[in-house]
Amino acid sequence: MNYHRVYHNQLATEFDSGVFCPSKEEFDQQMAFLSKHTNLMTEEEIVRLAQSGKPPPKRSALVTFDDGYRDNYLFAVPVLRKYSVPAIFFIPIESIEKSRLGWWDIIAYFIKHTEKEVLPFKGDELFLRTETEKQNAIGILQDYMKLVRSEESQDLLAELSFLCGVDFPSKEIQREELMNWDQIMEIGNTEFLSIGSHTVSHRVLSTVSGEDELQELTDSRLFLQQKLGREIKSVAYPVGSYRTFSDRTKSNAHRAGYSIGFSFNTGVNYGSIADPFNIKRIGPVADLSIFKSMLIVPRLFVSELT
Ligand SMILES: [Zn+2]
């Protein structure tokens, strides 16, 4: 189960609302349920299982978080501690080092702040007259950005800033949304919590050269190992759906020294872990009864809350 952000009280954000799910209270209910009804696994146990090829106990689950948002530390970690739920937090290095939010958040920020009612986009027009139209436009722009070559993504954001008439959010504003290294180190020093890599720049790996891909995977691992003083064993591929990584990614992850690699929105792992470099994860839901129904399958391995 892979989560991204957990929100407190009313969801009000200048950034991407799509990555907020569930609320702090819903997350608490979900973790209470998981700790009572499933076999929760640590990173170490997953690594061992992936290497042995043995199936995990029935109804096993793992909680992960991507992207290093500050609400993970503020709202999710206390709940994980309360129920002793193990989890892995995947950190993109540059986001933290440079206080830089991902393009999905910046796109949402521009669209939410613009006064324009229509936006020319790739020979088409995106209407921004209502909240629904704005949400649709954010989705279209994010989908487009996912598979754009990484060199073009910064240009596209600059173009969008110009078209919307909205400046990039300041470093201070972006920093508020992200964890700092002290918080990440505190998580890494908690017995049942682990830190994994989410690459250096969070570029979609299928859009970069093989050489750059290996460097993203290697440099992020070495950086985190030095920063945290411990071995980094796992990586989650940015975005993580099937077109965003490849067999090349998996072998580069292996070469970079990782023991396991996680994809996202790729489903549930049945039986044993067939491929240690494509451990599948599913996205989060808010509603507890839907959450429970997702777990009522035999040998559920990884359940994610993103
Ligand atoms: Zn991510």
Side-chain angles (χ1 to χ4, degrees):
M1 184 71 65
N2 182 45
Y3 296 83
H4 286 96
R5 306 196 72 168
V6 171
Y7 66 93
H8 185 42
N9 296 327
Q10 209 67 3
L11 173 56
T13 175
E14 296 181 285
F15 298 100
D16 184 15
S17 340
V19 288
F20 277 95
C21 182
S23 72
K24 188 181 148 198
E25 292 71 25
E26 288 159 343
F27 183 70
D28 189 297
Q29 292 172 349
Q30 293 177 7
M31 293 307 106
F33 179 83
L34 281 186
S35 65
K36 202 164 165 198
H37 299 285
T38 66
N39 171 53
L40 286 161
M41 307 182 76
T42 61
E43 183 192 42
E44 215 179 303
E45 286 166 327
I46 303 276
V47 169
R48 219 179 303 133
L49 272 174
Q51 285 167 350
S52 71
K54 285 184 191 154
K58 215 172 165 183
R59 280 198 198 169
S60 291
L62 170 69
V63 173
T64 63
F65 277 84
D66 284 0
D67 297 338
Y69 286 108
R70 189 167 294 190
D71 45 78
N72 297 180
Y73 176 82
L74 294 176
F75 309 136
V77 169
V79 175
L80 296 171
R81 282 187 205 273
K82 178 174 162 189
Y83 299 108
S84 299
V85 173
I88 310 176
F89 293 78
F90 293 103
I91 307 296
I93 309 298
E94 275 186 3
S95 295
I96 309 301
E97 280 290 279
K98 300 184 176 172
S99 301
R100 196 159 74 195
L101 288 166
W103 45 260
W104 55 95
D105 278 321
I106 303 298
I107 288 172
Y109 181 88
F110 290 149
I111 298 298
K112 288 182 178 185
H113 284 81
T114 189
E115 286 174 3
K116 302 276 165 67
E117 292 199 333
V118 59
L119 208 66
F121 178 69
K122 303 291 157 199
D124 214 343
E125 284 179 325
L126 295 177
F127 290 99
L128 310 170
R129 295 164 300 192
T130 62
E131 277 312 304
T132 312
E133 285 184 347
K134 284 191 171 194
Q135 275 310 324
N136 285 339
I138 291 170
I140 290 167
L141 291 164
Q142 288 174 336
D143 280 345
Y144 181 81
M145 193 67 108
K146 263 177 209 168
L147 293 171
V148 157
R149 282 183 55 77
S150 57
E151 298 79 28
E152 289 169 48
S153 58
Q154 278 309 310
D155 292 347
L156 263 172
L157 286 180
E159 187 187 335
L160 199 56
S161 164
F162 174 75
L163 290 172
C164 289
V166 179
D167 286 336
F168 278 79
S170 69
K171 285 271 167 254
E172 290 66 35
I173 289 178
Q174 295 188 61
R175 190 177 298 131
E176 284 293 301
E177 304 291 315
L178 295 160
M179 288 194 273
N180 59 41
W181 286 116
D182 285 345
Q183 293 164 337
I184 293 166
M185 282 191 266
E186 191 185 317
I187 291 174
N189 286 329
T190 304
E191 199 191 335
F192 48 90
L193 304 179
S194 308
I195 301 294
S197 163
H198 201 31
T199 74
V200 175
S201 70
H202 202 286
R203 290 185 292 175
V204 171
L205 294 172
S206 60
T207 69
V208 306
S209 69
E211 203 180 321
D212 285 356
E213 181 177 73
L214 183 60
Q215 197 162 6
E216 284 277 352
L217 293 162
T218 307
D219 290 358
S220 56
R221 180 163 181 263
L222 295 178
F223 183 95
L224 286 171
Q225 292 193 154
Q226 197 176 19
K227 198 88 184 166
L228 303 172
R230 69 185 62 215
E231 196 189 344
I232 298 297
K233 295 177 183 159
S234 49
V235 56
Y237 313 129
V239 181
S241 50
Y242 274 121
R243 286 196 299 164
T244 65
F245 72 100
S246 63
D247 287 344
R248 185 192 72 184
T249 312
K250 295 192 286 180
S251 64
N252 276 336
H254 184 63
R255 276 175 73 189
Y258 296 99
S259 304
I260 47 175
F262 291 85
S263 54
F264 178 54
N265 274 335
T266 40
V268 167
N269 302 272
Y270 294 101
S272 57
I273 301 172
D275 184 347
F277 286 96
N278 180 16
I279 301 179
K280 298 170 187 171
R281 301 185 298 170
I282 53 174
V285 291
D287 184 82
L288 186 65
S289 57
I290 298 173
F291 179 83
K292 287 179 186 172
S293 72
M294 287 160 69
L295 301 174
I296 311 297
V297 284
R299 293 204 179 282
L300 172 70
F301 175 50
V302 175
S303 100
E304 284 187 83
L305 307 166
T306 294

